Amino acid sequence: MKIITDERCAGYASEGHPERPARITTAIERLKRQTELQLAWAAPGMVNDAQILRAHSPELLARLQIPRDFDADTPFHENIITFARASVAAALAALKAARDGENVFSLMRPPGHHALRDRAMGFCYLNNIAIAVLEALATGSKRVAVFDFDVHHGNGTEAILLDRPGCAFFSIHQFPCFPGTGATNVGTNCFNYPVAPATPRETWRATFARALGDLKDFQPDLIAVSAGFDAYMRDPLAEGTLLAEDFHWLGQSLRGLDVPLFSLLEGGYSRDLPELIFAYLKGVEKNK
Ligand SMILES: [Zn+2]
C-alpha cells in the first residue's frame, strides 16, 4: 500500500477550525506505528496549470491568491494555493500509482470535493478528484467512476463532471446536510444516494451496496474514491452512524470490484480519524 503525503500540508491552520493539521499528523503517526500493512511512503510530485484548468477557471486560480476569505467555512491562508496544488499533485500521483497496479491512498489536505469550477467552498480550494478524473480521461482511460462516500454531497465534483463523456459520479451522503445538494440524480452521469440523518448503519450499508452495484454496471476501467470519514458515529459535523468496521467493509467492497482504484482523503473530523483510515486501508489491501 502506497501512502502519498507531505507533512508540509499541516502548515496552515485557523484556530478552532475542524479541518485542522492534526487530521493528517495523527493519521501519519498511527500508520507509522502499525505493523499489519506494509506501507510505502511517497511525496506528491507536481501539477501544471493545464491540468488544473480542465476543471477550474483561470479566475479561481487568480482568486486563490487574493487575501480574502472565500466563505465563513473556507478561510484564506497565506500560500493556500501552494497547499491546494500539493493536494492536487498527490491525487495525480495516486492516479499514476493505481495505473501501475498499486494500492494507494492520498493522505493530504485541503480536501477538494466541494470546490466548484470557479469557487472555493466547504474547506475545499481545488477539486483534487475531478482534476485527477479529467487527467485520466485525457490520458487514455475510457470509463472512470467516482465513488464519493463522504457524509457531505460532493457538489463540486458533480458540477465539474456533469454530462462529461466517459465518467460517472456516485455519491452517498447525508441529506439534508451541507451543502444542500444531492437529493436526486442529475444529468446523464451523476447518481446520488441521499441518506437521512441518524439512519441506522445497516441502511447505510445497504445504500452503499446499491450504489456500488450501479457503479459496477457502469463498467469502469478506473475508480476514483472520495474517501471522507465523516459519516462516522462520533463525527462532530454530521449525524452518520458508521463504525470503523463499516469503512473496512467499504474498502473490501471496492477492492472486490477488481478494477484499478485510488482513494483521496476528503472529510473526517473526529479524533478517531486515524483508526477509520487504517480500517479502510486494511479493507482495500487484499487479504486484510
Ligand atoms: Zn464531508
Side-chain angles (χ1 to χ4, degrees):
M1 173 74 65
K2 180 179 268 187
I3 306 292
I4 300 169
T5 192
D6 180 345
E7 295 196 40
R8 283 175 294 177
C9 77
Y12 70 96
S14 310
E15 204 176 331
H17 199 292
E19 204 290 280
R20 62 201 192 285
R23 298 177 63 236
I24 306 297
T25 54
T26 58
I28 291 174
E29 282 165 26
R30 179 69 186 92
L31 292 176
K32 290 207 161 156
R33 217 168 54 230
Q34 60 80 35
T35 53
E36 291 172 71
L37 290 175
Q38 267 207 343
L39 300 181
W41 297 83
M46 300 295 284
V47 54
N48 61 49
D49 282 2
Q51 290 168 311
I52 295 173
L53 292 172
R54 288 195 195 103
H56 293 289
S57 62
E59 289 74 19
L60 177 63
L61 282 183
R63 172 67 181 89
L64 291 176
Q65 303 191 71
I66 297 172
R68 193 172 69 233
D69 290 348
F70 300 92
D71 60 33
D73 295 327
T74 317
F76 176 84
H77 298 277
E78 197 165 334
N79 298 323
I80 190 61
I81 191 165
T82 306
F83 294 111
R85 291 179 77 111
S87 202
V88 172
L92 296 177
L95 163 64
K96 181 176 185 305
R99 282 175 158 172
D100 291 344
E102 296 181 89
N103 285 321
V104 61
F105 186 77
S106 172
L107 178 59
M108 291 286 285
R109 63 192 283 267
H113 74 153
H114 296 307
L116 296 162
R117 179 172 178 76
D118 53 6
R119 187 152 68 93
M121 64 172 281
F123 316 167
C124 302
Y125 301 86
L126 294 171
N127 197 308
N128 309 315
I129 202 135
I131 294 168
V133 168
L134 296 178
E135 173 73 14
L137 290 170
T139 55
S141 295
K142 299 292 179 212
R143 299 182 70 79
V144 184
V146 177
F147 188 75
D148 185 330
F149 65 80
D150 189 279
V151 80
H152 303 103
H153 179 235
N155 61 307
T157 311
E158 177 178 275
I160 292 167
L161 300 183
L162 183 65
D163 290 339
R164 295 237 190 190
C167 63
F169 174 68
F170 302 84
S171 179
I172 308 89
H173 46 268
Q174 179 178 311
F175 185 87
C177 194
F178 180 88
T181 48
T184 56
N185 296 340
V186 182
T188 56
N189 67 338
C190 293
F191 305 97
N192 287 309
Y193 305 82
V195 178
T199 293
R201 48 191 282 263
E202 294 73 20
T203 310
W204 270 98
R205 274 212 200 193
T207 310
F208 284 134
R210 189 158 54 87
L212 283 168
D214 292 345
L215 181 150
K216 192 174 178 182
D217 289 346
F218 174 69
Q219 298 185 304
D221 53 31
L222 178 70
I223 301 172
V225 183
S226 268
F229 297 86
D230 40 10
Y232 176 55
M233 183 180 68
R234 281 192 278 277
D235 196 279
L237 263 58
E239 293 128 281
T241 54
L242 301 185
L243 303 175
E245 65 197 73
D246 297 311
F247 294 107
H248 181 257
W249 174 86
L250 261 178
Q252 280 184 319
S253 303
L254 284 160
R255 172 53 58 208
L257 297 172
D258 212 19
V259 173
L261 93 110
F262 62 98
S263 307
L264 315 182
L265 179 65
E266 297 283 0
Y269 306 97
S270 76
R271 276 193 200 152
D272 298 332
L273 178 62
E275 291 307 322
L276 306 179
I277 292 173
F278 185 37
Y280 175 70
L281 295 182
K282 281 190 282 184
V284 169
E285 179 98 349
K286 267 191 186 128
N287 309 320
K288 291 282 177 187

